[in-house]
Amino acid sequence: LARNLTVGGRLPFFDAYAQGRVLRAYLEPQPDDAVPRFDYEEHLAALERDPPEWPASTRRLSQLRVTIEFRPEGALRRAVAPGRLHVDIVDYPGEWLIDLALLDLSYEDWSRQAVAQASNRIRGKVSAPWLAALAALDPAAPQDEQKAVEAAKIYTAYLRAARGREPALSTLGPGRFLMPGDLEGSPLLTFVPLDMPDSWAPPHGSFAAMMARRYTSYKAHVVKPFFRDHFSRLDRQIVLVDALAALNAGADSVNELTAVLEASLRAFRPGASSWLAPLLGRRIDRVLYAAAKADHLPHSSHDRLEAVLRLMTDKAAAKASFA
């Protein structure tokens, strides 16, 4: 998008561009000193090499500002409205998006879901080491730092194996276990779900109480700041979805992916912005779900892939009470 705008590419569905009202577009210096700049030039150079090199996947949050100077529609608007628009594109690992679902889950609820997911038959090959380690963990035992570190390593290895296999599996997170960024080695990433009886309250000083405390700290120091400082400021959201991998894995994987989409819709709080937005908080008024890896299919099948993704998102939207 940035290259098409700045060097004059093909954007026939962008009305202002097709009508010749875009005067110029250019990259601005990074506007937020606390956020790294997206390395546009290096990524572009990698794609232009012979043979081309696809840039590595996103591992941290970054931002790029494209400024568009344009001629507004209508004589009155041309006279009073500024002909300049700043487009701030924020890139972050998709794994972090999974964490937003944790905001509505207690440690006990998350543990039950995570244990049930690991026990699912489609995860048997990758979850066996973690389930064996989980069976050896006593929630009522005294808290133990070394035991927590070792358990977190095994749980993280399980999450990465599930994410990295072909086809990849969706996860409950935590997303930073997969893409830790600057939190690598932090105690915030040393907690795991436990198999606990229903309505059981972890005793003070127990291993379960330690895990619950770190889970709560993770939400307070990682998830909520990301949501407050970055995510809640967005107007639009684009989510790339690997629907093909879910289809290859079968119905259980499709249901998992649909659940992840539902959780993301709840976090987005989608709906039209209004004059009340400054009082009620910003909201994302448009979400675009795009099916990734469309180049793996012939062009004549793209409408079918779109239909599959639309079915998933429609189901997720219905469950998220979003119209």
Side-chain angles (χ1 to χ4, degrees), residues 229-292:
D229 298 339
H230 302 291
F231 197 85
S232 63
R233 297 189 299 166
L234 302 179
D235 305 297
R236 306 285 194 274
Q237 178 70 38
I238 299 173
V239 183
L240 303 182
V241 183
D242 191 351
L244 281 178
L247 288 172
N248 286 337
D252 290 333
S253 185
V254 170
N255 291 334
E256 274 195 21
L257 180 57
T258 303
V260 171
L261 295 176
E262 177 193 348
S264 71
L265 277 172
R266 292 183 184 278
F268 291 148
R269 296 179 300 152
S273 296
S274 70
W275 62 273
L276 290 173
L279 299 177
L280 301 179
R282 297 285 292 276
R283 64 195 307 171
I284 293 172
D285 58 8
R286 290 192 182 183
V287 182
L288 171 66
Y289 287 96

Side-chain angles (χ1 to χ4, degrees), residues 53 79 99 110 119 160 237 249:
E53 296 176 13
D99 279 348
W110 172 71
S119 304
R160 288 177 175 167
Q237 178 70 38

